[in-house]
Amino acid sequence: MYYFEDTLEKGHKDELILPSSALMYDGVYIEKMIEGYRTLAVTGREMLSLDIETQNTQVGSIKLNQKLPARAIKVTYQLMGKNAQDVQKKYHRLMQLLYREKDVELRFKDELDYHYYGQYVTTDEVRGDTNNIIASFELLCNDPKKYSLLLSTDSQITTYLPYPVTPEKITVTIAKFGTLLIQNEDKAIKITSYNLSADDQVVFDFLKGKVFVNGIDQTFLLDLESDFENFQIREGQTVTCSNGQMLLSYREVQL
Protein backbone atom coordinates (compact mmCIF):
# COMPACT_ATOMS: atom_id res chain seq x y z
CA MET A 1 0.00 0.00 0.00
CA TYR A 2 1.20 3.51 -0.81
CA TYR A 3 0.15 6.05 1.82
CA PHE A 4 -0.02 9.79 1.26
CA GLU A 5 2.75 11.78 2.89
CA ASP A 6 2.48 15.56 2.91
CA THR A 7 6.09 16.52 2.28
CA LEU A 8 7.36 20.08 2.17
CA GLU A 9 10.19 19.63 -0.28
CA LYS A 10 11.49 22.72 -1.97
CA GLY A 11 11.45 22.84 -5.75
CA HIS A 12 8.74 22.62 -8.34
CA LYS A 13 5.29 23.65 -7.20
CA ASP A 14 3.89 20.19 -8.02
CA GLU A 15 6.12 18.67 -5.32
CA LEU A 16 4.20 20.71 -2.73
CA ILE A 17 0.76 19.89 -4.07
CA LEU A 18 0.64 16.32 -5.37
CA PRO A 19 0.67 13.29 -3.04
CA SER A 20 3.50 10.84 -3.67
CA SER A 21 1.15 8.22 -5.17
CA ALA A 22 -1.04 10.64 -7.17
CA LEU A 23 -2.66 8.98 -10.18
CA MET A 24 -2.02 10.34 -13.67
CA TYR A 25 -5.01 9.05 -15.62
CA ASP A 26 -4.76 9.33 -19.40
CA GLY A 27 -2.09 12.01 -19.00
CA VAL A 28 -3.89 14.10 -16.35
CA TYR A 29 -3.49 14.35 -12.59
CA ILE A 30 -6.97 14.41 -11.04
CA GLU A 31 -5.69 16.73 -8.27
CA LYS A 32 -5.02 19.37 -10.91
CA MET A 33 -8.50 19.09 -12.40
CA ILE A 34 -10.69 18.98 -9.27
CA GLU A 35 -10.11 21.30 -6.33
CA GLY A 36 -10.51 19.43 -3.06
CA TYR A 37 -9.57 16.03 -4.52
CA ARG A 38 -6.55 14.25 -3.06
CA THR A 39 -5.13 10.73 -3.37
CA LEU A 40 -4.74 9.07 0.04
CA ALA A 41 -3.58 5.53 -0.80
CA VAL A 42 -3.09 3.15 -3.71
CA THR A 43 -3.12 -0.66 -3.54
CA GLY A 44 -2.70 -3.31 -6.21
CA ARG A 45 0.69 -2.33 -7.60
CA GLU A 46 2.60 -4.79 -5.47
CA MET A 47 3.32 -8.48 -6.15
CA LEU A 48 0.86 -10.26 -8.43
CA SER A 49 -0.59 -13.66 -7.51
CA LEU A 50 -0.48 -16.37 -10.20
CA ASP A 51 -3.30 -18.62 -11.36
CA ILE A 52 -1.82 -22.13 -11.38
CA GLU A 53 -3.91 -25.08 -12.54
CA THR A 54 -2.91 -28.44 -11.07
CA GLN A 55 -4.06 -32.03 -11.09
CA ASN A 56 -3.86 -34.08 -7.93
CA THR A 57 -1.80 -37.27 -8.00
CA GLN A 58 -1.17 -39.99 -5.44
CA VAL A 59 1.70 -37.89 -4.16
CA GLY A 60 1.22 -34.15 -4.47
CA SER A 61 0.07 -32.72 -7.78
CA ILE A 62 1.12 -32.00 -11.37
CA LYS A 63 1.20 -28.47 -12.72
CA LEU A 64 -0.96 -28.21 -15.84
CA ASN A 65 -1.04 -24.51 -16.63
CA GLN A 66 0.03 -21.10 -15.33
CA LYS A 67 -1.72 -17.79 -16.03
CA LEU A 68 -1.28 -14.15 -15.12
CA PRO A 69 -4.62 -12.76 -13.89
CA ALA A 70 -5.83 -9.22 -14.52
CA ARG A 71 -4.63 -6.56 -12.09
CA ALA A 72 -7.02 -4.48 -9.96
CA ILE A 73 -5.67 -1.17 -8.65
CA LYS A 74 -7.62 0.51 -5.85
CA VAL A 75 -7.33 4.28 -5.35
CA THR A 76 -8.50 5.70 -2.02
CA TYR A 77 -9.13 9.44 -2.14
CA GLN A 78 -10.50 12.41 -0.25
CA LEU A 79 -12.97 14.81 -1.83
CA MET A 80 -13.94 18.04 -0.08
CA GLY A 81 -16.62 20.49 -1.14
CA LYS A 82 -18.16 23.70 0.16
CA ASN A 83 -21.63 22.15 0.34
CA ALA A 84 -23.68 19.23 -1.00
CA GLN A 85 -24.21 20.91 -4.37
CA ASP A 86 -20.48 21.56 -4.77
CA VAL A 87 -19.69 17.93 -3.95
CA GLN A 88 -22.12 16.71 -6.62
CA LYS A 89 -20.53 18.98 -9.22
CA LYS A 90 -17.11 17.60 -8.36
CA TYR A 91 -18.37 14.03 -8.66
CA HIS A 92 -19.79 14.82 -12.09
CA ARG A 93 -16.38 16.11 -13.07
CA LEU A 94 -14.62 13.07 -11.58
CA MET A 95 -16.82 10.74 -13.61
CA GLN A 96 -16.10 12.72 -16.76
CA LEU A 97 -12.39 12.31 -16.15
CA LEU A 98 -12.52 8.59 -15.36
CA TYR A 99 -15.07 7.22 -17.82
CA ARG A 100 -13.48 5.60 -20.89
CA GLU A 101 -14.50 2.89 -23.31
CA LYS A 102 -10.92 1.74 -23.89
CA ASP A 103 -7.83 1.28 -21.75
CA VAL A 104 -5.76 4.38 -21.09
CA GLU A 105 -2.28 4.94 -19.71
CA LEU A 106 -2.05 4.86 -15.90
CA ARG A 107 0.95 6.42 -14.17
CA PHE A 108 1.72 7.17 -10.53
CA LYS A 109 3.85 10.06 -9.34
CA ASP A 110 6.24 7.87 -7.35
CA GLU A 111 7.03 5.73 -10.43
CA LEU A 112 6.68 7.90 -13.53
CA ASP A 113 9.16 5.80 -15.52
CA TYR A 114 6.57 3.00 -15.72
CA HIS A 115 2.91 2.82 -16.68
CA TYR A 116 0.00 0.38 -16.81
CA TYR A 117 -2.88 0.14 -19.28
CA GLY A 118 -6.34 0.05 -17.73
CA GLN A 119 -9.57 1.91 -17.07
CA TYR A 120 -11.99 2.85 -14.32
CA VAL A 121 -14.52 0.09 -13.58
CA THR A 122 -16.16 0.50 -10.18
CA THR A 123 -16.50 2.60 -7.03
CA ASP A 124 -17.49 1.86 -3.47
CA GLU A 125 -20.49 3.44 -1.74
CA VAL A 126 -20.09 7.13 -0.97
CA ARG A 127 -21.54 8.71 2.17
CA GLY A 128 -24.19 11.33 1.50
CA ASP A 129 -24.15 13.11 4.86
CA THR A 130 -20.84 14.95 4.67
CA ASN A 131 -18.94 17.41 2.48
CA ASN A 132 -15.62 15.78 3.39
CA ILE A 133 -15.67 12.34 1.75
CA ILE A 134 -13.16 9.51 1.90
CA ALA A 135 -13.91 6.75 -0.60
CA SER A 136 -12.25 4.66 -3.30
CA PHE A 137 -12.57 3.51 -6.90
CA GLU A 138 -11.03 0.62 -8.81
CA LEU A 139 -9.03 0.50 -12.03
CA LEU A 140 -8.94 -2.75 -14.01
CA CYS A 141 -5.77 -3.66 -15.93
CA ASN A 142 -6.63 -6.63 -18.16
CA ASP A 143 -2.93 -6.64 -19.00
CA PRO A 144 -1.34 -6.90 -15.52
CA LYS A 145 2.16 -5.93 -16.66
CA LYS A 146 3.74 -2.49 -16.32
CA TYR A 147 5.83 -0.91 -19.04
CA SER A 148 8.84 1.40 -18.99
CA LEU A 149 9.41 4.53 -21.03
CA LEU A 150 10.27 3.85 -24.67
CA LEU A 151 13.84 2.55 -25.09
CA SER A 152 15.86 2.16 -28.28
CA THR A 153 18.93 0.38 -29.62
CA ASP A 154 20.64 -0.13 -32.97
CA SER A 155 21.70 -3.70 -32.23
CA GLN A 156 22.47 -5.03 -28.73
CA ILE A 157 19.81 -5.54 -26.06
CA THR A 158 21.59 -4.54 -22.85
CA THR A 159 18.55 -3.44 -20.83
CA TYR A 160 17.34 -5.65 -17.97
CA LEU A 161 14.46 -7.68 -19.44
CA PRO A 162 13.09 -10.30 -17.06
CA TYR A 163 10.52 -11.34 -19.68
CA PRO A 164 10.63 -11.65 -23.49
CA VAL A 165 9.42 -8.41 -25.11
CA THR A 166 7.84 -7.67 -28.46
CA PRO A 167 9.31 -4.46 -29.91
CA GLU A 168 6.98 -1.58 -30.68
CA LYS A 169 8.77 -0.63 -33.90
CA ILE A 170 11.85 -1.43 -35.96
CA THR A 171 12.79 1.38 -38.31
CA VAL A 172 15.37 0.84 -41.06
CA THR A 173 16.85 3.44 -43.42
CA ILE A 174 17.95 1.38 -46.42
CA ALA A 175 21.60 1.77 -47.46
CA LYS A 176 21.58 0.25 -50.93
CA PHE A 177 19.32 -1.23 -53.58
CA GLY A 178 18.38 -4.75 -52.50
CA THR A 179 16.56 -6.99 -50.03
CA LEU A 180 16.28 -6.76 -46.24
CA LEU A 181 16.83 -9.30 -43.47
CA ILE A 182 16.47 -8.60 -39.74
CA GLN A 183 17.77 -11.46 -37.63
CA ASN A 184 17.46 -12.26 -33.93
CA GLU A 185 18.97 -15.68 -33.23
CA ASP A 186 16.40 -18.11 -34.67
CA LYS A 187 13.83 -15.43 -35.57
CA ALA A 188 13.94 -13.51 -38.85
CA ILE A 189 11.94 -10.85 -40.65
CA LYS A 190 12.53 -10.85 -44.41
CA ILE A 191 11.72 -8.85 -47.50
CA THR A 192 13.41 -10.83 -50.30
CA SER A 193 10.89 -10.81 -53.18
CA TYR A 194 11.24 -7.05 -53.65
CA ASN A 195 14.26 -4.78 -53.96
CA LEU A 196 14.21 -1.72 -51.74
CA SER A 197 15.97 1.49 -52.81
CA ALA A 198 18.65 3.46 -50.99
CA ASP A 199 17.18 5.92 -48.45
CA ASP A 200 13.84 4.10 -48.32
CA GLN A 201 12.48 4.08 -44.78
CA VAL A 202 10.98 0.76 -43.71
CA VAL A 203 8.97 0.63 -40.48
CA PHE A 204 7.93 -2.66 -38.93
CA ASP A 205 5.08 -1.55 -36.66
CA PHE A 206 4.37 -4.38 -34.23
CA LEU A 207 1.54 -2.52 -32.46
CA LYS A 208 -0.40 -2.17 -35.71
CA GLY A 209 0.83 -5.45 -37.18
CA LYS A 210 1.85 -3.71 -40.39
CA VAL A 211 4.93 -2.83 -42.44
CA PHE A 212 5.30 0.64 -43.93
CA VAL A 213 7.68 1.69 -46.72
CA ASN A 214 8.02 5.48 -46.95
CA GLY A 215 4.80 5.85 -44.98
CA ILE A 216 2.73 3.52 -47.21
CA ASP A 217 1.34 0.20 -45.98
CA GLN A 218 3.37 -2.47 -47.77
CA THR A 219 2.81 -5.40 -45.41
CA PHE A 220 2.35 -7.70 -48.41
CA LEU A 221 6.10 -7.42 -49.13
CA LEU A 222 6.92 -9.58 -46.08
CA ASP A 223 8.08 -13.09 -46.89
CA LEU A 224 5.46 -15.63 -45.82
CA GLU A 225 7.95 -17.45 -43.57
CA SER A 226 8.89 -14.27 -41.68
CA ASP A 227 8.58 -14.31 -37.87
CA PHE A 228 6.90 -10.89 -37.77
CA GLU A 229 4.02 -12.03 -35.55
CA ASN A 230 6.22 -13.78 -32.95
CA PHE A 231 9.40 -11.68 -33.08
CA GLN A 232 10.59 -11.02 -29.52
CA ILE A 233 13.77 -9.78 -27.87
CA ARG A 234 15.57 -10.78 -24.68
CA GLU A 235 18.33 -9.32 -22.59
CA GLY A 236 21.78 -10.07 -24.00
CA GLN A 237 20.64 -10.67 -27.57
CA THR A 238 21.98 -8.92 -30.66
CA VAL A 239 19.59 -7.98 -33.46
CA THR A 240 21.22 -7.61 -36.87
CA CYS A 241 20.14 -5.80 -40.03
CA SER A 242 21.45 -6.80 -43.48
CA ASN A 243 20.86 -3.51 -45.28
CA GLY A 244 20.89 -0.07 -43.69
CA GLN A 245 20.71 1.73 -40.36
CA MET A 246 18.30 0.15 -37.87
CA LEU A 247 16.61 1.58 -34.79
CA LEU A 248 14.67 -0.82 -32.58
CA SER A 249 12.16 0.69 -30.12
CA TYR A 250 10.86 -1.32 -27.16
CA ARG A 251 9.78 -1.14 -23.53
CA GLU A 252 10.96 -3.01 -20.46
CA VAL A 253 8.18 -5.13 -18.97
CA GLN A 254 7.73 -5.79 -15.25
CA LEU A 255 5.08 -7.42 -13.07
Side-chain angles (χ1 to χ4, degrees):
M1 180 178 289
Y2 298 79
Y3 290 100
F4 157 64
E5 294 181 4
D6 190 4
T7 61
L8 294 177
E9 298 177 9
K10 295 182 180 180
H12 195 280
K13 186 178 179 181
D14 286 352
E15 298 294 332
L16 301 176
I17 297 175
L18 295 175
S20 60
S21 58
L23 165 66
M24 182 186 288
Y25 189 83
D26 199 13
V28 174
Y29 283 114
I30 301 175
E31 279 87 348
K32 290 188 175 183
M33 306 304 294
I34 302 176
E35 183 180 358
Y37 175 94
R38 198 166 188 84
T39 304
L40 299 180
V42 176
T43 57
R45 292 192 290 156
E46 303 82 8
M47 296 175 65
L48 189 69
S49 298
L50 304 180
D51 286 341
I52 297 180
E53 182 182 352
T54 62
Q55 179 179 323
N56 291 332
T57 63
Q58 288 184 334
V59 179
S61 62
I62 299 173
K63 177 179 174 181
L64 300 178
N65 194 17
Q66 177 175 309
K67 298 179 181 178
L68 287 175
R71 181 186 295 274
I73 298 178
K74 183 178 180 180
V75 178
T76 302
Y77 65 92
Q78 180 182 35
L79 183 64
M80 295 183 292
K82 298 175 183 177
N83 50 49
Q85 184 179 15
D86 186 42
V87 169
Q88 287 303 312
K89 287 182 179 180
K90 290 178 178 181
Y91 267 113
H92 291 161
R93 180 59 175 150
L94 181 59
M95 196 64 196
Q96 288 175 352
L97 291 172
L98 292 177
Y99 178 78
R100 296 290 189 277
E101 294 186 352
K102 297 181 179 179
D103 286 351
V104 299
E105 200 173 87
L106 312 176
R107 294 184 187 271
F108 297 89
K109 185 172 175 289
D110 56 6
E111 198 178 25
L112 289 176
D113 287 346
Y114 290 89
H115 63 272
Y116 302 88
Y117 293 106
Q119 67 178 102
Y120 163 82
V121 289
T122 187
T123 183
D124 60 10
E125 186 175 347
V126 176
R127 288 181 56 185
D129 59 351
T130 178
N131 298 332
N132 186 352
I133 296 168
I134 294 179
S136 64
F137 58 82
E138 190 171 290
L139 308 169
L140 176 64
C141 301
N142 289 305
D143 177 356
K145 300 183 291 295
K146 64 180 178 181
Y147 297 86
S148 74
L149 299 175
L150 196 61
L151 307 170
S152 62
T153 180
D154 60 0
S155 179
Q156 294 183 327
I157 310 300
T158 58
T159 311
Y160 171 66
L161 295 179
Y163 312 99
V165 173
T166 300
E168 291 201 359
K169 288 183 181 180
I170 297 178
T171 302
V172 180
T173 301
I174 300 300
K176 60 184 180 180
F177 183 79
T179 60
L180 177 62
L181 169 65
I182 295 174
Q183 187 83 33
N184 183 22
E185 294 184 355
D186 61 335
K187 303 296 182 183
I189 302 174
K190 297 182 279 187
I191 297 179
T192 60
S193 60
Y194 176 84
N195 287 315
L196 299 157
S197 299
D199 297 325
D200 278 349
Q201 186 176 78
V202 182
V203 178
F204 299 92
D205 192 323
F206 295 88
L207 296 179
K208 295 181 179 179
K210 296 182 178 181
V211 180
F212 298 91
V213 179
N214 299 325
I216 300 174
D217 185 353
Q218 303 278 13
T219 309
F220 67 91
L221 295 178
L222 272 176
D223 287 18
L224 292 178
E225 65 270 23
S226 287
D227 296 301
F228 182 61
E229 294 183 354
N230 58 352
F231 191 87
Q232 292 187 315
I233 58 175
R234 295 176 174 83
E235 181 181 2
Q237 291 183 330
T238 298
V239 183
T240 61
C241 175
S242 67
N243 184 5
Q245 184 66 38
M246 176 181 66
L247 184 67
L248 187 151
S249 302
Y250 65 100
R251 298 181 190 273
E252 178 188 344
V253 177
Q254 295 277 4
L255 288 179

